[in-house]
Amino acid sequence: MGETSSAARRWCFADQLGPHFLDRPDQPVLLIESRAVFERRRFHRRKAHLVLSALRHRAAELGDQAVFAQTRTYREALERVPGRISVCQPTSWAAEEFVRSIPGIEVLPARGFCTSRTEFDAWAANRRTLLLEGFYRAARRRLEVLMDGTEPAGGRWNFDADNREPAPKNADGLGLPAPWLPDEDEIDERVRADLDRWERDGTASFVGRDGPREFPVTATEARAALRVFVRDRLPHFGPHEDAMLAGDRFMAHSMLSAPMNLGLLDPLECVYAAEDAYRAGRAPLAGVEGYIRQLIGWRDYIWHVYWHFGPDYRRRNALEARGRLPGWFADLDADAVGARCLSDVLAQVRDHGWVHHIPRLMVLSNYALQRGWDPAAVTDWFHRCFVDGYDWVMVANVVGMSQHADGGLMATKPYAAGGAYINRMSDYCGPCAYRPTERTGERACPFTGGYWWFLSRNERYLAANRRMTQPLAGLRRLTDLDEVVEQQRRLGQSAP
């Protein structure tokens, strides 16, 4: 930290709102609320509320220590602020390019992650593949997290095998205490009034439904939510991490991705709190390891993949998927959908702007992959419709992980699955009008038929992938493949 950066006014973007983005507690701060962001793109109403509420709460906390500019563009605000300005590296290629184009602004290394870009580049140097597991183990050693000397705690690096139990039978939920929820205040009231006015004036348009704020907007609230998670939910997190229940949208998940991606929580603070719970005997190792892997493993890995593969990564389309997002999906019209899993998950996005990672991957993304929708459009949809969605989050997660559009740079095979997976890991299929075992006819599950259609459409491309040998052999044994493909083509843009 140089004298210049410490003395300069720190410009904090709306996803850099925690105290760890300042060099000292009394450092002058610049906060900018740009209306143009909401004019350009149609964000979820709850996401717009969350971001504006967090930004305005931070301005209120800092008082005279901060210049809080509410302008149409960032550039308008910057023209009004005299003196030196520093900023931690922004979280998108576009924002970084913008700040580096402004003379006199000092751009510092990124904060809010466990592994720096320099450390990642050193790890990635001369590696043919950038596998998550290798990165995660290196981070565990370097940070000395869940380590007993030079060995991993419990003698294993990865407890995934213990964390894949299906949803409990004949249960509406896991029966856990509710996650931490905030009380709204006067700032939230003003944010809601402003968003209503912008919609009436036609200067902004939103997707999804408004509702009470469900996520922290201050560092104090975020730490309270972390304490509740570690106490009430972390002890039960592991076993059903990958399960879905229609009556329990929270399961044992932390609900901390949104405040963490606003910069309100330092991820290492969460890591150490989880490890302390394990060391004190308050949470089992398998669940704690699974949660910590989400942070120093997956979250950091996604961040670094975004930067490592460059700004053109977002435009990769190895499977040549060109389909447009249908209106019912783009507009979150869950009531138009008959498939119970897809309807319920889409309704959760519409009403809350959030579902946990398995509905994202194995319901929403899986359906998009099967239908061959344009991965760039799918990426943009996730970015706009999720309260924790940002460019760096969604580009790698969607292009690389869920749509296999990078040709296997991240995932060794496509994350495509039929109705059997959803039936095994959830309680959705029993009352559904479709049957997961049927691939043709009126009761054919759109995920089961869609799975075989996806394999048929991409058979030539996937043939060289050794992990796809067995699924493709199954495809070739189907006697009704032509009928399956024709039925899925007829479905087209219609809601299933």
Side-chain angles (χ1 to χ4, degrees), residues 310-318 322 374-376 379 395 399 405-406:
D312 291 335
Y313 182 75
R314 67 187 313 109
R315 290 187 285 273
R316 288 179 178 263
N317 194 352
R322 311 293 182 194
D374 185 336
T379 301
V395 168
V399 172
D406 67 357

Side-chain angles (χ1 to χ4, degrees), residues 253-300:
H253 293 276
S254 73
M255 308 291 289
L256 296 175
S257 58
M260 198 176 300
N261 291 353
L262 286 166
L264 299 172
L265 279 175
D266 187 326
L268 277 177
E269 181 179 357
C270 303
V271 167
Y272 293 137
E275 181 174 22
D276 287 347
Y278 159 66
R279 300 291 184 187
R282 298 192 302 270
L285 176 58
V288 170
E289 187 276 321
Y291 176 65
I292 287 176
R293 180 160 22 91
Q294 286 188 341
L295 299 183
I296 69 173
W298 188 252
R299 183 176 185 271
D300 263 33

Side-chain angles (χ1 to χ4, degrees), residues 309-376:
F309 288 130
D312 291 335
Y313 182 75
R314 67 187 313 109
R315 290 187 285 273
R316 288 179 178 263
N317 194 352
L319 299 181
E320 298 183 0
R322 311 293 182 194
R324 62 180 177 85
L325 268 61
W328 58 266
F329 190 90
D331 294 335
L332 309 180
D333 187 3
D335 296 334
V337 180
R340 187 166 179 251
C341 62
L342 185 56
S343 176
D344 183 69
V345 171
L346 203 61
Q348 290 183 46
V349 179
R350 177 196 66 200
D351 296 342
H352 304 281
W354 183 90
V355 296
H356 69 79
H357 70 281
I358 293 300
R360 297 189 201 203
L361 179 62
M362 302 311 299
V363 177
L364 298 170
S365 296
N366 186 20
Y367 194 83
L369 175 66
Q370 291 179 0
R371 265 63 205 165
W373 296 344
D374 185 336

Side-chain angles (χ1 to χ4, degrees), residues 11 13 15-16 74-75 78 87-103 105-111 117 121 303 306-308 310-311 314 391-392:
W11 176 15
F13 279 84
D15 56 358
Q16 300 175 331
Y74 289 125
R75 199 173 294 276
L78 292 168
V87 63
C88 297
Q89 180 204 330
T91 59
S92 73
W93 282 103
E96 184 182 48
E97 182 181 21
F98 172 69
V99 299
R100 292 190 184 280
S101 72
I102 302 171
I105 289 186
E106 181 185 10
V107 182
L108 307 173
R111 301 186 187 182
R117 287 179 66 178
D121 289 341
W303 161 259
Y306 176 82
W307 295 101
H308 185 77
R314 67 187 313 109
D391 199 53
W392 71 267

Side-chain angles (χ1 to χ4, degrees), residues 22-62:
L22 303 184
D23 294 340
R24 62 178 199 273
D26 63 344
Q27 183 171 16
V29 174
L30 170 62
L31 300 170
I32 303 174
E33 181 182 304
S34 167
R35 290 192 306 277
V37 172
F38 300 104
E39 295 172 4
R40 288 194 301 265
R41 304 176 79 176
R42 193 176 178 220
F43 288 96
H44 198 292
R45 170 67 185 243
R46 284 190 178 236
K47 179 174 186 172
H49 183 120
L50 188 71
V51 170
L52 291 183
S53 180
L55 193 60
R56 295 181 186 185
H57 273 90
R58 184 61 168 147
E61 283 178 344
L62 292 171

Side-chain angles (χ1 to χ4, degrees), residues 44 54 115 134 136 141 163 212 229 280 301 352 383 405 409 411 417 420 489:
H44 198 292
T115 298
Y136 167 62
R141 291 189 182 98
N163 294 342
F229 166 65
Y301 179 72
H352 304 281
H383 181 172
L409 293 176
R489 281 177 176 161

Side-chain angles (χ1 to χ4, degrees), residues 6 30 77 92 97 124 135 179 203 278 281 299 323 350 354 365 369 377 386 403 428 435 466 478 485 488:
S6 180
L30 170 62
S92 73
E97 182 181 21
F135 169 73
T203 57
Y278 159 66
R299 183 176 185 271
R350 177 196 66 200
W354 183 90
S365 296
L369 175 66
F386 279 79
Q403 302 303 294
Y428 281 124
R435 311 312 311 146
R466 288 181 294 176
L478 294 188
V485 169
Q488 294 305 312

